[in-house]
Amino acid sequence: MLTIPRISAAELMTENPRTVRVDDPIAEAVDVLQTTDFRHLPVLDEQGELVGMLSDRDLRGLQLPYSANPAVVDAARQKTGVPASTMPVSTIMSGNVVSVGPDADMTELMELMLEHKIGALPVVDAEGALLGIVSYVDIFRRILGEA
């Protein structure tokens, strides 16, 4: 049986994660996901409050090409005539964000991810301000590093 170490969200999280705003164009979010090693972006409102999450899964239903290689995306856009979307991120983000505090332990994080079928959890302070984000990849890396 696997023994899961007691590790907090604060120890696992990526601090000050890259974010997008609710009114940013979807094309900007696509560019961020293509040029970084992230699959999940916290979405902030005009006041900087966490209001949603955007993942690469949210983008799959769109007719926007998505690839890790920007040249592939440009070629697909030109071939299909699909312009970069100017719709705001708010139209496809997931609202009702499941988040955790920095003291949440790794077991709780895994349970929440499985229960809600999500791949990342924003970490917020007592006032709801975004501190960081923990993804399933962070958890896997820690478990494998501990094994």
Side-chain angles (χ1 to χ4, degrees):
M1 180 173 190
L2 177 65
T3 303
I4 299 173
R6 170 111 174 91
I7 299 169
S8 71
E11 294 173 80
L12 290 166
M13 72 182 183
T14 298
E15 295 183 47
N16 303 311
R18 180 68 166 90
T19 62
V20 291
R21 299 276 181 171
V22 290
D23 56 351
D24 286 344
I26 292 171
E28 184 175 320
V30 169
D31 289 340
V32 170
L33 290 171
Q34 288 176 330
T35 58
T36 63
D37 194 24
F38 305 131
R39 289 195 210 171
H40 304 90
L41 293 172
V43 181
L44 307 179
D45 66 12
E46 297 79 19
Q47 291 76 38
E49 299 291 321
L50 178 67
V51 294
M53 288 289 288
L54 183 71
S55 74
D56 57 349
R57 263 192 320 194
D58 296 321
L59 299 172
R60 288 185 191 145
L62 298 175
Q63 294 302 314
L64 292 173
Y66 178 80
S67 169
N69 183 341
V72 170
V73 174
D74 290 341
R77 283 183 177 154
Q78 289 175 4
K79 184 176 181 181
T80 63
V82 177
S85 175
T86 58
M87 294 183 344
V89 165
S90 61
T91 60
I92 64 166
M93 72 178 194
S94 299
N96 300 322
V97 181
V98 178
S99 62
V100 297
D103 295 330
D105 71 31
M106 192 161 61
T107 301
E108 180 182 351
L109 301 175
M110 291 187 293
E111 289 171 349
L112 284 169
M113 287 181 190
L114 287 170
E115 177 184 342
H116 296 280
K117 298 178 182 169
I118 55 177
L121 289 161
V123 181
V124 298
D125 66 15
E127 288 78 41
L130 182 65
L131 301 173
I133 188 170
V134 176
S135 76
Y136 69 92
V137 173
D138 298 320
I139 292 171
F140 287 169
R141 283 186 180 137
R142 181 57 69 100
I143 289 173
L144 290 174
E146 301 279 329

